[in-house]
Amino acid sequence: MRKLASAAMVAVMSVCLITGVKAGEVEVLHWWTSGGEARSAAELKRLLEAKGHTWKDFAVAGGGGESAMTVLKSRVVSGKPPTAAQIKGPSIQEWGDEGVLATLDEVAKQGGWDELLPAVVANVMKYKGSYVAVPVNVHRVNWMWVNPDIFKKAGAKIPTTWDEFIVAAEKIKAAGYIPVAHGGQAWQDSTTFESVVLGIGGADFYRKAFVDLEPSALNSPTMIQAFDVLRKIKHYTDKDAPGRDWNLATAMVINGKAAMQFMGDWAKGEFTAAGKKPGVDYECVAAPGTAGSFTFNIDSFVMFDVGAGSSQEAQMALAATIMEPEFQEVFNLNKGSIPARLNMPRDKFDSCAHTSMDEFVASAKTATLVPSMAHGMSTFSSVQGAIYDVVTKFYNDDKMPAEKAAETLAAAVKDAR
Ligand code: GAL
């Protein structure tokens, strides 16, 4: 054992001698604890450690990251921020306003990030023109994960509209399967809901509602219709859905218990971890009505200002590693997402990733590329929280009329702005 430890020390020291860096430790806060997520995070740890630094894991379980963000806030308030944290979207601006972030401009310049990142990604990573965050991926949220076997056995057709969804779900139910795998948690309710809104209202409507926060969109016949569809989806979930974690819902599709799940492509990480292949064991298709549109969710890391020293060297090494092609490939192969970095080789990626890559580029041209509300990409966290509350209240209260939900939504967003 002791021999092994000293061999490891020698290896680390020689890496540091070669690269001339001071070995440091980065404490990394993230919420990647499911099978596919953990495999992805392990790749980042491996590559950082290969540069001679130490990874101190600070994982806070809970899909969507709500719990992680609560823990992060209390750590920062008590004056002990982690050295790096998974923070994304407009929240990066909120943390920038607090004056606690380190700038990554030097690493970004050396690495040529401005040339390597699409503008839609780079913009999210900058605070007042400086890089303060580094992107690991681009997730597409508006997916539907399908068990083709169940569809076949039920004689159902994979739906491309919400009307077709009802027809398929009825057949699947009649054949004795659970049509929709869902986990009743606020972020999962909203993940499904935003795909419904996109599918029914289209990208322009989605943008008016969840980016521009227009009251006339939030409280509108289209929004009422979307709430109605959300209630119908609930009708096709099972009684154990409340509180279920998202990856357990994915497992229901993998194991042939449920036919569909509405979830971002981190779900693909679970299929991959289970050794399943797209087009063979499962299908990835756009949620009904959303083909050609793309709700993006970009995971990124920010570094907290820790002053000069070995921790800072380790932080900058982490930032540089994240943008390297090796990491962008291996991480995203496991995570289910696509690289944030442009012009990466596609050959190792599967057909779902290829679709995502193509649609990411195409949707940017047709203005059907929209930020995910449910994953903190379209608004500040207070507004996102207000939307979550209304959607989840409606989801759990079968007596609340859809009209009332739309009205409450507009009022709650107005208050939270
Ligand atoms: C998202 C995050 C993804 C995935 C998911 C479930 O918010 O961006 O990377 O981990 O939560 O935990």
Side-chain angles (χ1 to χ4, degrees):
M1 192 65 193
R2 208 175 282 154
K3 255 194 202 152
L4 266 182
S6 59
M9 278 285 283
V10 171
V12 165
M13 276 165 60
S14 50
V15 169
C16 295
L17 282 176
I18 294 162
T19 55
V21 296
K22 266 187 265 150
E25 178 185 271
V26 209
E27 187 185 18
V28 189
L29 178 130
H30 63 91
W31 62 88
W32 290 330
T33 55
S34 79
E37 289 176 330
R39 275 162 53 118
S40 318
E43 294 294 346
L44 184 53
K45 176 176 187 240
R46 179 178 65 80
L47 291 171
L48 179 78
E49 290 186 340
K51 290 189 175 166
H53 299 288
T54 314
W55 170 286
K56 186 173 175 199
D57 203 48
F58 186 3
V60 180
E66 258 186 296
S67 310
M69 288 304 103
T70 308
V71 172
L72 175 64
K73 277 176 202 144
S74 71
R75 277 285 296 266
V76 177
V77 166
S78 65
K80 288 194 217 86
T83 26
Q86 188 189 346
I87 298 179
K88 52 187 183 152
S91 269
I92 296 171
Q93 304 304 311
E94 296 178 298
W95 283 102
D97 287 343
E98 297 293 320
V100 288
L101 302 186
T103 163
L104 307 177
D105 278 340
E106 222 180 287
V107 186
K109 214 169 147 206
Q110 271 169 19
W113 294 6
D114 271 338
E115 289 75 53
L116 294 175
L117 293 174
V120 69
V121 178
N123 292 342
V124 183
M125 303 301 136
K126 291 180 181 176
Y127 175 72
K128 298 199 168 145
S130 276
Y131 277 101
V132 292
V134 52
V136 298
N137 64 1
V138 178
H139 270 302
R140 186 189 195 193
V141 182
N142 58 309
W143 283 115
M144 179 170 80
W145 304 93
V146 169
N147 181 311
D149 240 26
I150 298 184
F151 271 81
K152 216 167 144 200
K153 284 182 186 142
K157 176 180 157 288
I158 296 176
T160 58
T161 65
W162 289 105
D163 286 339
E164 287 178 11
F165 163 80
I166 307 284
V167 177
E170 280 299 328
K171 287 190 177 164
I172 291 161
K173 205 174 166 182
Y177 297 97
I178 300 163
V180 177
H182 183 70
Q185 296 175 349
W187 73 272
Q188 295 189 62
D189 299 343
S190 276
T191 297
T192 301
F193 186 60
E194 74 173 24
S195 283
V196 175
V197 170
L198 182 66
I200 287 179
D204 283 343
F205 176 80
Y206 178 101
R207 207 175 283 116
K208 277 185 194 138
F210 293 146
V211 181
D212 304 334
L213 308 176
E214 282 179 21
S216 60
L218 291 164
N219 184 9
S220 63
T222 306
M223 194 59 83
I224 292 168
Q225 209 188 328
F227 275 114
D228 272 332
V229 171
L230 183 67
R231 178 156 290 152
K232 288 188 181 136
I233 294 174
K234 180 185 172 182
H235 180 71
Y236 296 112
T237 62
D238 66 321
K239 65 171 184 14
D240 297 327
R244 176 188 285 138
D245 286 332
W246 68 272
N247 51 316
L248 300 181
T250 309
M252 292 164 67
V253 180
I254 295 176
N255 300 334
K257 290 208 172 82
M260 302 170 254
Q261 184 188 20
F262 301 104
M263 190 49 69
D265 42 22
W266 45 93
K268 199 186 80 185
E270 301 305 299
F271 284 97
T272 307
K276 304 291 180 193
K277 299 266 173 288
V280 181
D281 308 303
Y282 70 97
E283 301 286 345
C284 52
V285 294
T290 73
S293 291
F294 191 119
T295 31
F296 67 86
N297 172 22
I298 307 163
D299 286 313
S300 51
F301 281 94
V302 304
M303 311 296 154
F304 283 88
D305 187 358
V306 291
S310 63
S311 291
Q312 192 185 50
E313 293 216 15
Q315 280 181 321
M316 297 307 141
L318 182 68
T321 304
I322 286 174
M323 276 296 288
E324 280 162 13
E326 186 184 357
F327 168 77
Q328 293 269 329
E329 182 175 83
V330 71
F331 177 85
N332 286 299
L333 284 171
N334 285 297
K335 190 70 168 69
S337 37
I338 59 173
R341 185 182 160 129
L342 291 169
N343 303 324
M344 290 279 301
R346 292 166 58 121
D347 48 309
K348 289 201 186 129
F349 287 91
D350 63 23
S351 54
C352 300
H354 288 167
T355 304
S356 189
M357 289 169 185
D358 295 342
E359 300 262 311
F360 185 58
V361 174
S363 63
K365 291 188 184 132
T366 52
T368 51
L369 177 65
V370 291
S372 166
M373 172 278 291
H375 293 276
M377 289 280 130
S378 77
T379 68
F380 289 121
S381 50
S382 53
V383 173
Q384 183 198 11
I387 300 175
Y388 270 21
D389 287 351
V390 178
V391 172
T392 287
K393 197 157 172 249
F394 174 81
Y395 191 89
N396 289 307
D397 178 359
D398 290 339
K399 293 208 178 70
M400 184 176 189
E403 289 77 10
K404 176 86 184 146
E407 197 186 308
T408 315
L409 184 66
V413 167
K414 188 167 169 239
D415 284 351
R417 290 185 81 172

